Short mmCIF file of all heavy atoms in Angstrom, two decimals:
data_model
loop_
_atom_site.label_atom_id
_atom_site.label_comp_id
_atom_site.label_asym_id
_atom_site.label_seq_id
_atom_site.Cartn_x
_atom_site.Cartn_y
_atom_site.Cartn_z
N LEU R 1 0.82 -1.21 0.00
CA LEU R 1 0.00 0.00 0.00
C LEU R 1 0.86 1.26 0.00
O LEU R 1 0.57 2.23 -0.71
CB LEU R 1 -0.94 -0.01 1.22
CG LEU R 1 -2.06 -1.04 1.19
CD1 LEU R 1 -2.82 -1.04 2.52
CD2 LEU R 1 -3.02 -0.78 0.03
N PHE R 2 1.92 1.24 0.78
CA PHE R 2 2.81 2.40 0.84
C PHE R 2 3.44 2.67 -0.53
O PHE R 2 3.50 3.81 -1.00
CB PHE R 2 3.90 2.18 1.88
CG PHE R 2 4.99 3.22 1.83
CD1 PHE R 2 4.79 4.48 2.35
CD2 PHE R 2 6.21 2.94 1.21
CE1 PHE R 2 5.78 5.45 2.28
CE2 PHE R 2 7.20 3.90 1.14
CZ PHE R 2 6.98 5.16 1.68
N MET R 3 3.91 1.61 -1.19
CA MET R 3 4.57 1.78 -2.47
C MET R 3 3.59 2.17 -3.57
O MET R 3 3.96 2.86 -4.53
CB MET R 3 5.34 0.53 -2.83
CG MET R 3 6.51 0.25 -1.90
SD MET R 3 7.76 1.57 -1.87
CE MET R 3 8.97 0.89 -2.99
N ALA R 4 2.34 1.72 -3.45
CA ALA R 4 1.32 2.15 -4.42
C ALA R 4 1.10 3.66 -4.32
O ALA R 4 0.98 4.37 -5.33
CB ALA R 4 0.02 1.40 -4.18
N ALA R 5 1.07 4.17 -3.08
CA ALA R 5 0.93 5.62 -2.88
C ALA R 5 2.16 6.35 -3.42
O ALA R 5 2.04 7.42 -4.05
CB ALA R 5 0.74 5.93 -1.40
N SER R 6 3.34 5.79 -3.21
CA SER R 6 4.58 6.39 -3.72
C SER R 6 4.56 6.46 -5.24
O SER R 6 4.99 7.46 -5.83
CB SER R 6 5.79 5.59 -3.25
OG SER R 6 5.89 5.59 -1.84
N ALA R 7 4.10 5.39 -5.88
CA ALA R 7 4.03 5.35 -7.33
C ALA R 7 3.17 6.48 -7.87
O ALA R 7 3.51 7.13 -8.87
CB ALA R 7 3.50 4.00 -7.80
N THR R 8 2.04 6.71 -7.22
CA THR R 8 1.13 7.79 -7.64
C THR R 8 1.81 9.15 -7.56
O THR R 8 1.73 9.97 -8.48
CB THR R 8 -0.14 7.79 -6.76
OG1 THR R 8 -0.76 6.51 -6.84
CG2 THR R 8 -1.12 8.86 -7.23
N LEU R 9 2.53 9.39 -6.46
CA LEU R 9 3.22 10.66 -6.29
C LEU R 9 4.33 10.85 -7.31
O LEU R 9 4.53 11.96 -7.84
CB LEU R 9 3.79 10.76 -4.87
CG LEU R 9 2.76 10.87 -3.73
CD1 LEU R 9 3.47 10.81 -2.38
CD2 LEU R 9 1.96 12.17 -3.86
N ILE R 10 5.06 9.79 -7.60
CA ILE R 10 6.15 9.89 -8.58
C ILE R 10 5.62 10.24 -9.96
O ILE R 10 6.18 11.11 -10.65
CB ILE R 10 6.96 8.57 -8.63
CG1 ILE R 10 7.75 8.38 -7.32
CG2 ILE R 10 7.92 8.56 -9.82
CD1 ILE R 10 8.41 7.03 -7.20
N ILE R 11 4.53 9.60 -10.36
CA ILE R 11 3.95 9.89 -11.67
C ILE R 11 3.47 11.34 -11.74
O ILE R 11 3.69 12.05 -12.74
CB ILE R 11 2.80 8.91 -11.98
CG1 ILE R 11 3.37 7.51 -12.22
CG2 ILE R 11 2.00 9.38 -13.19
CD1 ILE R 11 2.32 6.44 -12.39
N LEU R 12 2.83 11.81 -10.68
CA LEU R 12 2.33 13.18 -10.67
C LEU R 12 3.47 14.22 -10.71
O LEU R 12 3.30 15.31 -11.27
CB LEU R 12 1.47 13.42 -9.42
CG LEU R 12 0.13 12.68 -9.38
CD1 LEU R 12 -0.55 12.88 -8.03
CD2 LEU R 12 -0.80 13.14 -10.52
N ALA R 13 4.62 13.86 -10.13
CA ALA R 13 5.72 14.83 -10.02
C ALA R 13 6.87 14.55 -10.98
O ALA R 13 7.93 15.16 -10.87
CB ALA R 13 6.24 14.83 -8.58
N LYS R 14 6.67 13.66 -11.95
CA LYS R 14 7.78 13.22 -12.82
C LYS R 14 8.43 14.37 -13.60
O LYS R 14 9.63 14.32 -13.90
CB LYS R 14 7.30 12.15 -13.79
CG LYS R 14 6.26 12.62 -14.80
CD LYS R 14 5.83 11.50 -15.73
CE LYS R 14 4.70 11.94 -16.67
NZ LYS R 14 5.09 13.05 -17.54
N ASP R 15 7.66 15.38 -13.96
CA ASP R 15 8.22 16.51 -14.71
C ASP R 15 8.82 17.57 -13.80
O ASP R 15 9.63 18.39 -14.26
CB ASP R 15 7.14 17.15 -15.60
CG ASP R 15 6.65 16.20 -16.68
OD1 ASP R 15 7.51 15.61 -17.35
OD2 ASP R 15 5.43 16.04 -16.84
N LEU R 16 8.45 17.57 -12.55
CA LEU R 16 8.94 18.56 -11.59
C LEU R 16 10.25 18.13 -10.94
O LEU R 16 11.16 18.94 -10.75
CB LEU R 16 7.88 18.81 -10.52
CG LEU R 16 8.24 19.79 -9.40
CD1 LEU R 16 8.49 21.18 -9.95
CD2 LEU R 16 7.14 19.81 -8.34
N ILE R 17 10.36 16.85 -10.60
CA ILE R 17 11.51 16.34 -9.84
C ILE R 17 12.85 16.66 -10.50
O ILE R 17 13.77 17.15 -9.83
CB ILE R 17 11.36 14.82 -9.60
CG1 ILE R 17 10.22 14.55 -8.61
CG2 ILE R 17 12.67 14.22 -9.08
CD1 ILE R 17 9.81 13.09 -8.52
N PRO R 18 13.02 16.43 -11.82
CA PRO R 18 14.34 16.69 -12.43
C PRO R 18 14.80 18.13 -12.32
O PRO R 18 16.01 18.40 -12.36
CB PRO R 18 14.13 16.28 -13.90
CG PRO R 18 12.99 15.33 -13.89
CD PRO R 18 12.10 15.82 -12.79
N LEU R 19 13.87 19.06 -12.17
CA LEU R 19 14.23 20.48 -12.10
C LEU R 19 15.08 20.79 -10.87
O LEU R 19 15.81 21.79 -10.84
CB LEU R 19 12.97 21.35 -12.08
CG LEU R 19 12.07 21.27 -13.32
CD1 LEU R 19 10.81 22.11 -13.11
CD2 LEU R 19 12.81 21.72 -14.57
N PHE R 20 14.97 19.96 -9.83
CA PHE R 20 15.73 20.19 -8.60
C PHE R 20 17.20 19.78 -8.74
O PHE R 20 18.01 20.13 -7.89
CB PHE R 20 15.10 19.43 -7.43
CG PHE R 20 13.77 19.98 -7.00
CD1 PHE R 20 12.59 19.41 -7.44
CD2 PHE R 20 13.70 21.08 -6.15
CE1 PHE R 20 11.36 19.90 -7.04
CE2 PHE R 20 12.48 21.59 -5.75
CZ PHE R 20 11.30 21.00 -6.20
N TYR R 21 17.51 19.01 -9.77
CA TYR R 21 18.84 18.42 -9.89
C TYR R 21 19.80 19.18 -10.80
O TYR R 21 20.93 19.47 -10.41
CB TYR R 21 18.72 16.97 -10.38
CG TYR R 21 18.23 16.01 -9.33
CD1 TYR R 21 16.88 15.88 -9.06
CD2 TYR R 21 19.12 15.21 -8.62
CE1 TYR R 21 16.42 14.98 -8.10
CE2 TYR R 21 18.67 14.31 -7.65
CZ TYR R 21 17.32 14.21 -7.40
OH TYR R 21 16.88 13.34 -6.44
N VAL R 22 19.37 19.45 -12.02
CA VAL R 22 20.31 19.97 -13.00
C VAL R 22 19.58 20.80 -14.05
O VAL R 22 18.40 20.55 -14.33
CB VAL R 22 21.09 18.80 -13.67
CG1 VAL R 22 20.16 17.94 -14.51
CG2 VAL R 22 22.27 19.29 -14.49
N GLN R 23 20.26 21.77 -14.62
CA GLN R 23 19.65 22.63 -15.63
C GLN R 23 20.03 22.13 -17.03
O GLN R 23 20.87 22.70 -17.71
CB GLN R 23 20.14 24.08 -15.43
CG GLN R 23 19.89 24.64 -14.05
CD GLN R 23 18.43 24.60 -13.64
OE1 GLN R 23 17.55 24.95 -14.42
NE2 GLN R 23 18.17 24.14 -12.42
N ASP R 24 19.42 21.06 -17.44
CA ASP R 24 19.71 20.47 -18.76
C ASP R 24 18.42 19.85 -19.27
O ASP R 24 17.94 18.85 -18.72
CB ASP R 24 20.81 19.41 -18.64
CG ASP R 24 21.30 18.91 -19.99
OD1 ASP R 24 20.46 18.65 -20.87
OD2 ASP R 24 22.54 18.75 -20.15
N VAL R 25 17.85 20.43 -20.33
CA VAL R 25 16.53 20.01 -20.81
C VAL R 25 16.53 18.55 -21.26
O VAL R 25 15.57 17.81 -21.00
CB VAL R 25 16.08 20.93 -21.98
CG1 VAL R 25 14.75 20.43 -22.56
CG2 VAL R 25 15.92 22.36 -21.48
N ALA R 26 17.60 18.10 -21.92
CA ALA R 26 17.68 16.71 -22.38
C ALA R 26 17.67 15.74 -21.21
O ALA R 26 17.03 14.68 -21.26
CB ALA R 26 18.93 16.52 -23.24
#
């Protein structure tokens, strides 16, 4: 159940998360 909730959050934030790491569009 915990990992199912995590999966939902990851999908919703998939485009936002990389922005915290590096400034490279590719």
Side-chain angles (χ1 to χ4, degrees):
L1 290 174
F2 170 77
M3 294 300 261
S6 298
T8 303
L9 292 174
I10 291 172
I11 290 174
L12 291 174
K14 65 180 175 61
D15 295 312
L16 178 63
I17 291 169
L19 298 176
F20 290 98
Y21 286 82
V22 67
Q23 304 304 315
D24 188 317
V25 176

